[in-house]
Amino acid sequence: MLSRTTVIAASLSVSAGSANPSKSNYSRLLGLNNNLSYTASNPVIVSSNSNFASFAWNTSNNSKYTKSRMERFTTRASPQPLTNADELIDSVQTFIFDCDGVIWKGDKLIDGVPETLDLLRSKGKRLVFVTNNSTKSRKQYGKKFETLGLNVNEEEIFASSFAAAAYLKSINFPKDKKVYVIGEEGILKELELAGYQYLGGPEDGGKKIDLKPGFLMEHDENVGAVVVGFDRNFNYYKIQYGTLCIRENPGCLFIATNRDAVTHLTDAQEWAGGGSMVGAIRGSTQREPLVVGKPSTFMMDYLANEFGILKSQICMVGDRLDTDILFGQNGGCKTLLVLSGVTTLSVLQSPNNSIQPDFYTNKISDFLSLKATTV
């Protein structure tokens, strides 16, 4: 397989309180800083692109945070169909699976998934399930796996709802600060487990604003972060409340669980995804969110540290190029695209597509048939 590797170095220094850092200065920066700490009230944007921005916290208005990182981007001449499943399986220790479009669609299990997972476990492979869907907590996803007849432990599941709470813990977000949630129950449950105070969520789904002359909407000045995820009860009240917190509360973080354009609420069609909610808040605040879900490397770094896994020994399996495959590539993993979800073969092979997986196949159960043909 022909390949071309380009290494790009980028650095950024932004003063505390800088209102409008130039996007051109940081548009090529990828990855999250796992050593950020929340120690004062003045935020500094230390990296941002179309996928996320990340923040440090200064103890002085005059201090600066400088971030420099070498990033590697690999582009391939053309996508390669998976022809030898055994070879790929033997080359890695861990498989990370996206869920929607890979394991299930809506509430319907994709054919051949149980047998495929059993095969990989029989070969001693570690299986991890990562989803950008923030509507459920890890525990709730565990119940969904069980309902679908899959034996998956809670410790093997990583949802973006969990990632949001984990990120706050990683930067020592103060426990006396509150989190305003635009999203569903999964985020609330993970914040509660992490010991954080929160408001919003489904409770604000029925609230309306009576726009009388001179009306001023109040908001909690102790909100230190706004977390935005997929929200089926998204409304103008939530947009305005989140906007006020981000724009008026000093140092308030804008965290997105993901920026997925579409999602699979049912197996009949695609539905508007969490990116539509994030986009509304981005538009009203003119701020780039810090994205903790795919393709940000935060969850990949977390998984590698949690399980002691070498990233070169991981294969990321997903149905989306701009989240799943980019997530694996950003993390330095092998990547396998399945055509059972969002991405079609024509989209993959389009000259306009710049994200190429190592391999592609129709669905993960192809591991079974391709294994049979190569014996």
Side-chain angles (χ1 to χ4, degrees):
M1 182 187 302
L2 297 177
S3 66
R4 176 171 60 85
T5 301
T6 304
V7 177
I8 299 175
S11 63
L12 172 67
S13 178
V14 181
S15 299
S18 176
N20 294 300
S22 171
K23 186 174 181 179
S24 63
N25 288 337
Y26 52 59
S27 63
R28 291 178 297 171
L29 285 167
L30 292 172
L32 286 175
N33 187 332
N34 293 329
N35 297 315
L36 301 183
S37 60
Y38 188 128
T39 57
S41 61
N42 296 312
V44 178
I45 301 175
V46 297
S47 75
S48 177
N49 64 6
S50 61
N51 296 322
F52 59 85
S54 52
F55 296 78
W57 293 85
N58 286 333
T59 55
S60 168
N61 285 338
N62 298 321
S63 63
K64 292 183 178 181
Y65 188 100
T66 302
K67 184 173 187 289
S68 178
R69 173 171 290 193
M70 297 290 288
E71 294 294 346
R72 174 168 295 181
F73 300 87
T74 303
T75 57
R76 302 186 185 278
S78 62
Q80 300 296 312
L82 181 66
T83 58
N84 190 332
D86 278 344
E87 186 175 29
L88 176 59
I89 293 170
D90 293 341
S91 70
V92 297
Q93 296 175 346
T94 301
F95 282 89
I96 299 179
F97 291 100
D98 176 47
C99 295
D100 299 321
V102 178
I103 304 298
W104 58 63
K105 276 190 174 183
D107 290 322
K108 183 179 180 181
L109 192 66
I110 294 175
D111 292 342
V113 167
E115 295 84 357
T116 305
L117 300 184
D118 288 343
L119 169 69
L120 295 175
R121 290 189 191 279
S122 72
K123 288 180 171 287
K125 305 302 175 182
R126 182 189 299 277
L127 306 184
V128 179
F129 302 87
V130 175
T131 175
N132 268 356
N133 192 327
S134 62
T135 61
K136 295 180 175 64
S137 65
R138 296 172 84 182
K139 187 172 183 178
Q140 289 172 313
Y141 269 112
K143 291 180 179 178
K144 178 168 184 174
F145 276 100
E146 183 180 352
T147 299
L148 292 173
L150 299 175
N151 184 21
V152 175
N153 296 323
E154 185 178 323
E155 292 73 22
E156 296 175 315
I157 304 168
F158 291 86
S160 61
S161 53
F162 172 81
Y167 179 75
L168 290 173
K169 290 180 70 174
S170 76
I171 63 168
N172 297 318
F173 184 77
K175 292 295 179 71
D176 60 349
K177 286 285 186 180
K178 298 176 184 177
V179 180
Y180 182 69
V181 176
I182 299 175
E184 301 192 12
E185 190 178 7
I187 299 173
L188 304 186
K189 287 186 174 295
E190 294 294 355
L191 289 174
E192 184 176 356
L193 287 171
Y196 291 115
Q197 305 175 66
Y198 60 81
L199 63 156
E203 183 178 289
D204 285 357
K207 293 183 179 179
K208 297 181 180 180
I209 300 174
D210 187 6
L211 293 174
K212 297 178 180 179
F215 175 74
L216 176 70
M217 183 173 176
E218 301 288 346
H219 73 284
D220 193 326
E221 296 180 356
N222 201 37
V223 171
V226 174
V227 175
V228 183
F230 181 74
D231 191 337
R232 282 167 285 200
N233 295 300
F234 193 56
N235 59 20
Y236 190 65
Y237 179 93
K238 294 182 181 183
I239 295 175
Q240 179 65 3
Y241 201 100
T243 298
L244 289 172
C245 292
I246 293 170
R247 294 181 61 176
E248 298 187 11
N249 290 2
C252 185
L253 298 173
F254 173 18
I255 299 173
T257 60
N258 69 84
R259 297 181 84 161
D260 292 357
V262 297
T263 187
H264 293 112
L265 297 180
T266 70
D267 62 347
Q269 66 180 150
E270 293 178 350
W271 299 80
S276 58
M277 293 83 193
V278 174
I281 304 302
R282 178 184 178 276
S284 62
T285 62
Q286 294 297 292
R287 281 265 298 273
E288 288 292 332
L290 185 153
V291 182
V292 294
K294 297 171 293 184
S296 157
T297 59
F298 175 73
M299 279 204 287
M300 183 69 74
D301 293 339
Y302 187 94
L303 288 169
N305 293 331
E306 180 79 4
F307 294 122
I309 308 170
L310 290 175
K311 295 178 184 178
S312 60
Q313 290 292 307
I314 297 174
C315 179
M316 175 65 210
V317 183
D319 69 314
R320 297 173 186 258
L321 293 166
D322 59 347
T323 55
D324 302 325
I325 301 306
L326 193 57
F327 175 63
Q329 291 177 348
N330 288 347
C333 308
K334 291 183 174 67
T335 54
L336 173 65
L337 177 77
V338 291
L339 304 176
S340 53
V342 170
T343 306
T344 63
L345 185 59
S346 61
V347 168
L348 173 63
Q349 295 177 335
S350 168
N352 297 322
N353 170 40
S354 61
I355 303 172
Q356 301 293 347
D358 290 309
F359 304 101
Y360 72 89
T361 193
N362 289 321
K363 52 188 180 301
I364 65 169
S365 60
D366 288 345
F367 277 148
L368 304 171
S369 58
L370 290 173
K371 175 182 181 297
T373 61
T374 58
V375 173

